[in-house]
Amino acid sequence: MPIPPDVPTPDPALRDAAPALPDPATGWTPRLGAPAMPFRVRTTRGERSLADYRGRWLLLFSHPADFTPVCTSEFIAFARAHDRFQALGCDLLGISVDSLFAHLAWVRSIEAGFGVEIPFPIAEDISMGLARAYGMLHPADTSTATVRGSFLIDPAGTIRMLSYYPMTTGRSVEELLRSLAALQETDASGLSTPADWRPGEAGVLPPPQTVQEAAARNAAGAQDWYYLSQAGAPR
């Protein structure tokens, strides 16, 4: 019996580059710094796999159901921010357990009702294999509605940020953009980003590891021995 296209399957392009991954049927939950679970899915814009995004950032995000108000508001917000994600080298991929045909009808409804085209693919996950592999559905769940899971996956296929929102609360697209920019800042400059950091603002150095380092921070004008701001990488 052939495997349905929405079930996560090992991708040959990633199998040799990443360590062996757990079987999604065991309820594997993604972790920061771990390889993202390879997948191959049908979407509103053709078949997609994790390997297709190698070399670029990917925001993989789930929604509970098509034709629902909070999800519709999110997809409109993602569509309007699409060019900003692209400018940061990041692609978007939505997913839910609805069928491809439901996705196509919903996309047409959003365009007709709100005048907004959805420029990114939406994947079907009828078997719920990908939802369970990414912790959007627990094996014991009786409902097929997924939480609002968001996963920023870097160009090497590593999970760098993840979040889960409840069904009743829409995500902040601005926060996802900020998180993406913060991760890219850290990669470029080695600095960490403080609370409410925005692109162009100063980052902070990691805490000192020795007495000598702590003294040097004070000599450099740190607000305290453990807190020293620095300019970020040039943009």
Side-chain angles (χ1 to χ4, degrees):
M1 179 178 177
I3 298 174
D6 58 300
V7 176
T9 56
D11 194 306
L14 293 180
R15 186 169 51 210
D16 296 333
L21 293 169
D23 184 339
T26 64
W28 171 77
T29 299
R31 295 180 294 106
L32 290 176
M37 173 70 77
F39 58 81
R40 190 177 299 278
V41 289
R42 290 200 311 172
T43 84
T44 52
R45 293 178 176 266
E47 191 174 275
R48 294 287 191 277
S49 71
L50 182 61
D52 294 332
Y53 299 99
R54 179 59 68 96
R56 288 180 60 80
W57 287 80
L58 172 65
L59 174 59
L60 174 68
F61 62 97
S62 67
H63 64 282
D66 296 349
F67 296 101
T68 53
V70 177
C71 297
T72 299
S73 72
E74 286 190 326
F75 272 66
I76 291 172
F78 277 121
R80 289 173 172 163
H82 182 255
D83 288 347
R84 296 170 65 192
F85 280 102
Q86 290 287 290
L88 292 172
C90 182
D91 293 318
L92 303 177
L93 177 59
I95 187 167
S96 82
V97 299
D98 295 288
S99 72
L100 178 63
F101 305 105
H103 290 339
L104 290 170
W106 187 37
V107 165
R108 289 168 60 87
S109 174
I110 292 174
E111 186 169 2
F114 299 91
V116 175
E117 178 186 359
I118 304 301
F120 51 85
I122 309 174
E124 69 174 358
D125 186 26
I126 298 173
S127 72
M128 298 176 284
L130 189 59
R132 288 197 172 100
Y134 274 79
M136 305 169 198
L137 279 175
H138 188 274
D141 284 345
T142 57
S143 170
T144 60
T146 58
V147 296
R148 302 182 192 282
S150 305
F151 308 88
L152 276 172
I153 301 170
D154 70 16
T158 300
I159 297 173
R160 299 290 298 280
M161 191 280 289
L162 57 88
S163 68
Y164 299 100
Y165 279 63
M167 291 176 60
T168 55
T169 305
R171 278 166 285 222
S172 169
V173 173
E174 288 297 325
E175 172 57 20
L176 289 167
L177 281 162
R178 190 194 78 90
S179 297
L180 173 61
L183 289 168
Q184 293 180 350
E185 173 66 41
T186 296
D187 288 350
S189 68
L191 299 174
S192 299
T193 51
D196 297 324
W197 175 91
R198 295 288 175 185
E201 296 179 352
V204 292
L205 288 174
Q209 303 296 310
T210 65
V211 171
Q212 292 82 0
E213 276 189 75
R217 295 284 177 92
N218 283 126
Q223 287 156 288
D224 210 325
W225 61 270
Y226 57 86
Y227 197 104
L228 180 61
S229 297
Q230 292 258 315
R235 295 293 183 205

